[in-house]
Amino acid sequence: MSFPGSGLAKGLAVTLRTMTKRSVTAQYPDVQPDLPPRTRGVIGLFEENCTVCMLCARECPDWCIYIDSHKETVPPAAPGGRERSRNVLDRFAIDFALCMYCGICIEVCPFDALFWSPEFEYAETDIHELTHERDKLREWMWTVPEPPALDPAAEEPKELAAARKAADKLAAQQQAEAEAAQAQAQAPDPETADQDRPDTPGEGT
């Protein structure tokens, strides 16, 4: 059972507790805040890895990714080979006025061309200027933090295991060939051995 004025007393108690605590003021923009390593600020583009597969644009629920490309013919790598065609990226833009930072484009990219950057200072006075082209996305790529170190007890990735197995097999094969060549070089020549062998009595008669 509450007595009259208990609500006021509780409110004053909260006020007194708050007044005794030291206030913390963020000195932004003079002091940059310490952001968590997985902060979703903007999306950086590593253009060299992009193959214009359009998977990010198709999976984007907001349709805020715009990609243009054209095809180029690549000459054969070896004489007698055939020419091949490849996609060349002309435009890669993201409209951050529509983006809801879900990260689906980064997750579905099969070639690791998109990364989260903790950069957050990209406000504009005009909403149309929030569509950033690939040059700006490339600049944000340099602000992407390094990935965390792998767990020492974690299982080795299958790709690394397969590459290591192939490298060990090739090294063992090369070592075996080198040992065989060395043994062959050290073995005496039969014709030379017959010439150097001294004649024994009774031979050649």
Side-chain angles (χ1 to χ4, degrees), residues 66-201:
Y66 312 111
I67 300 176
D68 293 330
S69 65
H70 69 277
K71 289 186 176 293
E72 286 186 356
T73 302
V74 180
R82 64 173 185 174
E83 296 181 345
R84 312 187 73 164
S85 62
R86 66 183 181 94
N87 293 323
V88 179
L89 184 66
D90 293 329
R91 185 195 183 199
F92 195 108
I94 299 179
D95 186 357
F96 286 97
L98 296 176
C99 179
M100 63 180 184
Y101 304 91
C102 64
I104 292 178
C105 57
I106 298 176
E107 296 295 332
V108 301
C109 179
F111 302 104
D112 292 335
L114 298 174
F115 297 88
W116 278 119
S117 166
E119 182 68 33
F120 62 93
E121 296 178 322
Y122 58 96
E124 301 290 347
T125 56
D126 187 357
I127 192 173
H128 297 93
E129 296 180 359
L130 283 174
T131 301
H132 295 289
E133 301 293 333
R134 64 177 183 175
D135 294 337
K136 188 64 175 179
L137 302 180
R138 179 60 182 265
E139 292 179 8
W140 284 331
M141 185 64 205
W142 309 123
T143 63
V144 174
E146 295 183 1
L150 298 177
D151 187 356
E155 183 180 355
E156 187 179 31
K158 296 180 179 180
E159 296 83 1
L160 291 180
R164 193 184 308 278
K165 184 177 180 181
D168 293 342
K169 183 178 179 181
L170 179 61
Q173 182 179 358
Q174 292 177 349
Q175 183 178 0
E177 293 177 355
E179 291 177 355
Q182 184 178 2
Q184 185 177 2
Q186 293 177 354
D189 190 358
E191 297 180 357
T192 307
D194 292 341
Q195 294 176 1
D196 296 340
R197 186 176 60 181
D199 295 337
T200 57

Side-chain angles (χ1 to χ4, degrees), residues 4 6 24 28 30 34 38 41 43 56 66 120 129 142 162 178 180 202:
S6 60
V24 179
Y28 178 82
D30 296 331
D34 294 330
R38 295 174 63 88
I43 299 173
C56 57
Y66 312 111
F120 62 93
E129 296 180 359
W142 309 123

Side-chain angles (χ1 to χ4, degrees), residues 20-40:
T20 57
K21 292 182 179 179
R22 183 179 179 180
S23 61
V24 179
T25 303
Q27 302 297 331
Y28 178 82
D30 296 331
V31 179
Q32 293 292 326
D34 294 330
L35 301 176
R38 295 174 63 88
T39 298
R40 295 188 176 188

